[in-house]
Amino acid sequence: SDNMAEIPMKRILVHLQKAGETSPTLAKFTQSIVGYFGGTENKQVVKVGCALREDRLVLYETDNEEEQVPLKRPTFCPITHLSPEASLPADVQSRGVDVGVVVVLETRDQQVLLTRRARHMRTFPRVWVPPGGHIEQGETLLEAGRRELHEETGLHLPECHGNVFGLWESVFPPMLNLGLPKRHHVVVYVHLRTQQSQHVLQDRLTLQAAEVDGAAWLDRSLVEAIVASDQEDEGARHSNSTVPKTFKATVLNPDGQVLTEDLSTTMLLIPSLQARQDQERVSTGTKFALAQLIK
């Protein structure tokens, strides 16, 4: 019927299941997902199982180490610091927790692809993240990740296998002092390995201006430096003396022209707690994913 176009796409939402519970329950927007599985003020990481079942992302308690995936939130997660009196609009309060899939693509020569979110994006503009987005009904996590990779970068890699290697509890705005939460996601990180080299893929890169306006391949030493930038307090100081001052990026200028630019590496190494909201940087969740990658 003509009304079909008006029916909103069914969103894939997070459901939670503890050991002993017969079925998963819908996560509430104001519920801390890490907290539900035992996270505390001093414990930001928990291990959970993760499965897409009947268009629901089910996070569940499991003792099976092969099924366990780390789920983390930042120390400044707004949901944990939300006071019970906080008055969120009804449409936000009833949203549930959305799901995003993000693809950490690693080439044969150990280069990892990051993209820069376009400046007009509603959430996290100008922030460097791996390609990703929503899941459509009937898709697997891997299918959704490969589709988003293709849409945003033009890279079509149907032969690539991948595995879920991390989950991140993400809220926007990312800190309470920037305003009350409007979006609450669990981001599923999928590690996609390709047998192709970065040079081959770079030639096929076509950025989708609606969502991204930059892309860069990062080598292992730069990935390690980015991870270390948020681990200073853990005594894992990383010498940045070996990291080049600039890195090559493919960028779209406002007219949509494709340029190759040398960008300052310093911007990639800004610690999350020191970053300004409007500052070009690597997202905190991305740093978590890259840390899992090099473990």
Side-chain angles (χ1 to χ4, degrees), residues 13 23 34 38 41 45 77 80 85 89 120 139 178 180 190 196 199 224 232 243 263 278-280:
L13 296 172
S23 60
V34 170
E41 209 177 321
V45 189
C77 177
T80 18
E85 296 78 50
H120 58 253
E139 281 186 320
L178 300 169
L180 289 172
V190 176
Q196 309 198 42
H199 293 295
E224 286 173 358
E232 300 290 305
V243 177
L263 301 182
D278 57 352
Q279 194 167 22
E280 191 175 340

Side-chain angles (χ1 to χ4, degrees), residues 68-200:
Q68 288 178 346
V69 181
L71 162 66
K72 190 176 183 184
R73 66 183 174 201
T75 45
F76 48 80
C77 177
I79 294 292
T80 18
H81 301 290
L82 203 58
S83 75
E85 296 78 50
S87 55
L88 296 172
D91 61 327
V92 171
Q93 189 103 23
S94 61
R95 268 190 77 87
V97 178
D98 288 284
V99 180
V101 174
V102 170
V103 168
V104 179
L105 176 65
E106 188 174 14
T107 62
R108 193 182 64 208
D109 45 348
Q110 283 195 315
Q111 303 271 340
V112 172
L113 180 66
L114 288 193
T115 54
R116 184 174 62 193
R117 288 171 63 82
R119 62 176 73 236
H120 58 253
M121 296 295 275
R122 268 196 319 235
T123 58
F124 301 103
R126 305 287 286 167
V127 170
W128 286 85
V129 295
H134 69 283
I135 303 171
E136 291 180 357
Q137 278 172 269
E139 281 186 320
T140 64
L141 292 167
L142 189 55
E143 286 164 351
R146 286 196 292 225
R147 174 184 49 74
E148 286 287 346
L149 174 69
H150 186 216
E151 286 174 10
E152 291 183 11
T153 68
L155 298 177
H156 184 46
L157 299 170
E159 76 293 341
C160 265
H161 292 292
N163 62 294
V164 173
F165 70 109
L167 304 163
W168 178 256
E169 185 169 7
S170 170
V171 178
F172 187 87
M175 296 189 192
L176 261 188
N177 61 359
L178 300 169
L180 289 172
K182 295 185 178 74
R183 292 286 183 271
H184 188 182
H185 279 78
V186 165
V187 179
V188 180
Y189 287 101
V190 176
H191 184 200
L192 209 59
R193 296 177 198 77
T194 171
Q195 286 310 302
Q196 309 198 42
S197 71
Q198 169 240 327
H199 293 295
V200 170

Side-chain angles (χ1 to χ4, degrees), residues 18-40:
K18 283 209 171 130
E21 292 176 347
T22 49
S23 60
T25 51
L26 181 69
K28 296 187 186 71
F29 183 87
T30 53
Q31 186 170 18
S32 166
I33 309 300
V34 170
Y36 178 85
F37 290 107
T40 62

Side-chain angles (χ1 to χ4, degrees), residues 271-293:
S272 296
L273 285 166
Q274 293 172 21
R276 289 193 324 274
Q277 179 52 11
D278 57 352
Q279 194 167 22
E280 191 175 340
R281 64 191 193 281
V282 176
S283 83
T284 318
T286 300
K287 292 178 183 181
F288 157 71
L290 294 176
Q292 301 309 306
L293 187 73

